[in-house]
Amino acid sequence: MPIKIFNLKGAPDDEAEEIRALLTSNDLDYYETPAGNWAVSAPAIWLNDERQESKARLLIEQYQRERVIRVRAEYAQLRKSGNHRTIIDLIRENPIRFIVYLAAVAAVVYFSTKPFMDIGT
């Protein structure tokens, strides 16, 4: 019976690629389910053989511990050198998207509070 071994929802592409490479290099038989056209299904990596579950989980846990250490060190280095991305950098990269999101938030706030403002009049 197939066993879900790794959830791909929200996982960065590089992490998913490294997990696939890890499973392949250790001769673990797996398959992948995509998110689908509207991203409503569960993207994941599944093991075909449940007897390989403990080995796969151990490998993935070890990989994730090493990844956390590596990514935190990379981020600390970027902060130290002043090259880390800030919210201002994100706004500069795509100001139109920022304006659209800000307008959407303002519209939601307006339409959410308008009925209560009209009560007193």
Side-chain angles (χ1 to χ4, degrees):
M1 178 173 182
I3 295 177
K4 182 175 164 182
I5 196 72
F6 189 75
N7 187 1
L8 293 172
K9 187 171 186 166
D13 292 336
D14 65 323
E15 182 178 14
E17 281 298 319
E18 290 172 356
I19 292 291
R20 289 183 200 105
L22 178 70
L23 295 175
T24 301
S25 68
N26 284 283
D27 297 322
L28 296 171
D29 189 27
Y30 70 93
Y31 66 94
E32 191 172 332
T33 53
N37 292 337
W38 297 283
V40 293
S41 61
I45 296 177
W46 301 74
L47 283 179
N48 286 322
D49 187 358
E50 61 189 28
R51 293 173 294 184
Q52 296 177 329
E53 180 183 10
S54 61
K55 179 181 178 183
R57 290 206 187 275
L58 183 66
L59 288 168
I60 290 173
E61 286 173 13
Q62 180 182 1
Y63 161 78
Q64 287 183 324
R65 280 192 301 272
E66 293 169 359
R67 180 178 170 85
V68 165
I69 293 168
R70 181 182 45 143
V71 170
R72 284 184 180 168
E74 289 171 3
Y75 181 71
Q77 182 62 33
L78 284 173
R79 279 191 64 132
K80 186 176 181 181
S81 66
N83 294 331
H84 67 289
R85 289 176 66 185
T86 63
I87 188 117
I88 301 300
D89 296 330
L90 295 173
I91 294 169
R92 283 186 190 139
E93 287 173 13
N94 200 337
I96 301 298
R97 181 180 2 164
F98 173 73
I99 292 169
V100 169
Y101 286 170
L102 190 62
V105 168
V108 167
V109 169
Y110 173 77
F111 288 116
S112 297
T113 59
K114 176 101 171 86
F116 298 105
M117 299 302 219
D118 290 341
I119 290 175
T121 58

